[in-house]
Amino acid sequence: MTNPADSPAVRRLDDWNRDRLESLAATHETPLYVIDLDRVTANYTRFSSAFPDADVMYAAKAHTGKAVLEAVLEAGGTIECAAWGELQRSIDAGADPNELQYTAVNPPDHDLDYAAELGAENPGLTITIGATDTLERLAERGYNGRIAIRINPGIGTGHHEKVATGADAKFGIPYKRVPAVANRVREAFDLVGLHAHAGSGVLTDDLEDHCRAIERVGDMARRVGDDDLEFVDVGGGYGVPYREDEPPLDLEKTSDMVREAIGDLDAQLKLEPGRYVVADAGLILTEVNTIKKAPDTTVVGVDASLSTLIRPAMFGSYHPMLNVTAPDRDAEPMTVGGPVCTSADVFAHDRPIARPERSDILAIGNAGSYGYELANQFHSQPKPAEVALEGDDARVARRRETLEDVTRLEQ
């Protein structure tokens, strides 16, 4: 295993061992997710080292696979969860429920039932609320434990408007109402922290807006009494460069700016990186099945689709691509799409790629974050397998679904 301290700040597709990738595709078929656990560990260690006095919690929603959760826990991390299933899966991976943080967003009754019961048995569990309704519903369930208040700072950042949560009314208590809600929490619960999350996919150029939101969180912490709080959680959202010419996040600058923005606090700083930990640790291998010349482009058909990776269709996201089989062929503009019957099922438009041929293996990079988590069964396509790499070892972390898996709940 590579020493995490020596790992590069960003891993490009060219950095993967192409012979190993071709062997994985041949052994496990395609489409195939590949997650490198050594890279997960290195990314978490690098980030946490930049914030040595903070509690760095991995945001499980980025990739909730058991192998990933185990790697984070082994690296000394704790876990932030956004749904009851993530809580249970974290516990199954070995997390101490007393160290988990559950960020409830319009939680269904079942989620609150589970969280309240878990908190009763494990008083260290923290529940983050973003609506006073959630307080009332927790009280109805007999919960009187640890509460953090999610603040809506009114400032959103990130790679797309759909992830700029800091300015979205769906998330958090309106800023001006926080002091009154804090007093209300103290009457019936244990107020332990404040929380905010400005957005997702934050890179160095986005830090100014990101830190304006953090500054507001620090101001509010001092206003409600940071000496009476255990922590102030400024969320995650720290990004990785998806495009080949984008530089990686400057962690030293990020650490300096975040600390300056939050200001002097008696409470501990918390952060919740998710994408940063897993994005460049994962990729998708897909096989070329069709080459079609069209008037304005060459269409390359592959066996992966938007049911494999939905981010390009959902967010217009750019994911780097590499012809693993023949990277040295002349590059030509290609439109790469899958077998799903919609124009949204396209991974790249007129992208220069080493000229593919049928049966070539292509790699789709930066798929470790919100890749498998958003995979679906549209067109009755079974979800792909996922292989976990650790040192020289490779193991199936999730087997490939069958059509029986797709239909087994039907009656």
Side-chain angles (χ1 to χ4, degrees):
M1 174 180 171
T2 302
N3 186 335
D6 298 331
S7 67
V10 60
R11 188 184 202 183
R12 311 288 187 180
L13 275 179
D14 283 336
D15 297 326
W16 292 76
N17 184 311
R18 292 194 294 271
D19 290 339
R20 191 177 194 188
L21 293 180
E22 280 211 286
S23 176
L24 290 172
T27 302
H28 301 284
E29 302 182 341
T30 57
L32 179 70
Y33 268 90
V34 180
I35 186 76
D36 186 337
L37 301 180
D38 292 340
R39 183 64 183 175
V40 171
T41 300
N43 287 342
Y44 177 84
T45 302
R46 187 185 319 102
F47 190 96
S48 59
S49 296
F51 294 91
D53 300 324
D55 180 4
V56 177
M57 307 185 75
Y58 169 63
K61 62 181 175 291
H63 190 304
T64 325
K66 187 176 183 181
V68 168
L69 297 178
E70 289 174 338
V72 170
L73 291 169
E74 188 173 340
T78 51
I79 301 176
E80 181 269 340
C81 304
W84 83 273
E86 293 177 7
L87 287 168
Q88 183 62 62
R89 292 175 73 177
S90 297
I91 294 168
D92 290 344
D96 180 351
N98 288 289
E99 295 181 348
L100 294 175
Q101 186 166 312
Y102 166 47
T103 305
V105 180
N106 300 333
D109 284 342
H110 178 274
D111 285 44
L112 282 191
D113 291 342
Y114 179 90
E117 182 176 343
L118 187 64
E121 298 172 354
N122 302 275
L125 175 75
T126 301
I127 298 179
T128 304
I129 61 102
T132 54
D133 274 6
T134 307
L135 284 178
E136 296 168 3
R137 295 166 66 200
L138 285 169
E140 291 169 358
R141 288 161 171 79
Y143 181 83
N144 60 0
R146 294 164 57 88
I147 292 288
I149 299 172
R150 181 167 185 168
I151 301 171
N152 186 313
I155 299 170
T157 58
H159 68 88
H160 194 280
E161 62 182 9
K162 292 181 180 179
V163 299
T165 56
D168 189 335
K170 175 181 175 180
F171 299 96
I173 303 291
Y175 192 79
K176 292 182 179 180
R177 292 178 52 203
V178 172
V181 174
N183 290 335
R184 180 175 173 183
V185 171
R186 286 186 171 113
E187 291 175 358
F189 304 88
D190 181 13
L191 178 62
V192 296
L194 299 182
H195 171 282
H197 179 75
S200 186
V202 173
L203 290 173
T204 307
D205 290 345
D206 306 309
L207 284 174
E208 188 171 332
D209 284 342
H210 181 73
C211 286
R212 283 196 300 116
I214 291 175
E215 185 176 354
R216 299 201 81 196
V217 177
D219 289 344
M220 182 57 70
R222 287 179 285 273
R223 184 174 171 185
V224 304
D226 67 288
D227 56 344
D228 192 35
L229 298 174
E230 182 181 307
F231 65 83
V232 176
D233 183 344
V234 297
Y238 303 98
V240 297
Y242 282 74
R243 294 182 181 273
E244 293 87 346
D245 58 351
E246 288 180 316
L249 178 69
D250 186 332
L251 267 185
E252 182 177 355
K253 182 176 182 179
T254 300
S255 179
D256 290 344
M257 289 183 67
V258 167
R259 291 187 180 282
E260 181 179 355
I262 200 71
D264 292 331
L265 290 176
D266 289 331
Q268 184 182 37
L269 176 66
K270 273 192 177 187
L271 302 101
E272 302 171 2
R275 183 189 311 273
Y276 185 91
V277 175
V278 292
D280 71 359
L283 54 72
I284 296 166
L285 299 176
T286 183
E287 183 177 355
V288 175
N289 54 53
T290 302
I291 307 289
K292 180 172 67 174
K293 294 288 186 180
D296 299 321
T297 189
T298 297
V299 176
V300 178
V302 295
D303 59 4
S305 70
L306 63 76
S307 67
T308 314
L309 179 70
I310 202 172
R311 294 189 72 254
M314 181 180 289
F315 301 122
S317 300
Y318 180 100
H319 282 262
M321 301 191 74
L322 174 72
N323 187 334
V324 175
T325 303
D328 297 326
R329 290 195 196 125
D330 291 340
E332 299 176 12
M334 303 284 172
T335 295
V336 182
V340 168
C341 189
T342 169
S343 298
D345 185 27
V346 174
F347 296 113
H349 290 277
D350 296 323
R351 180 92 57 86
I353 298 173
R355 180 176 45 79
E357 297 177 358
R358 281 197 303 273
S359 300
D360 281 357
I361 300 299
L362 305 186
I364 303 173
N366 280 355
S369 176
Y370 304 103
Y372 207 106
E373 290 302 305
L374 294 173
N376 58 82
Q377 298 170 332
F378 185 45
H379 270 1
S380 295
Q381 294 193 83
K383 292 181 183 179
E386 181 179 43
V387 171
L389 307 180
E390 196 164 17
D392 294 330
D393 296 330
R395 61 182 173 88
V396 177
R398 304 190 227 208
R399 67 167 175 80
R400 187 176 304 279
E401 287 186 346
T402 65
L403 187 58
E404 290 181 351
D405 293 318
V406 176
T407 62
R408 66 186 175 86
L409 299 181
E410 294 180 352
Q411 298 184 39

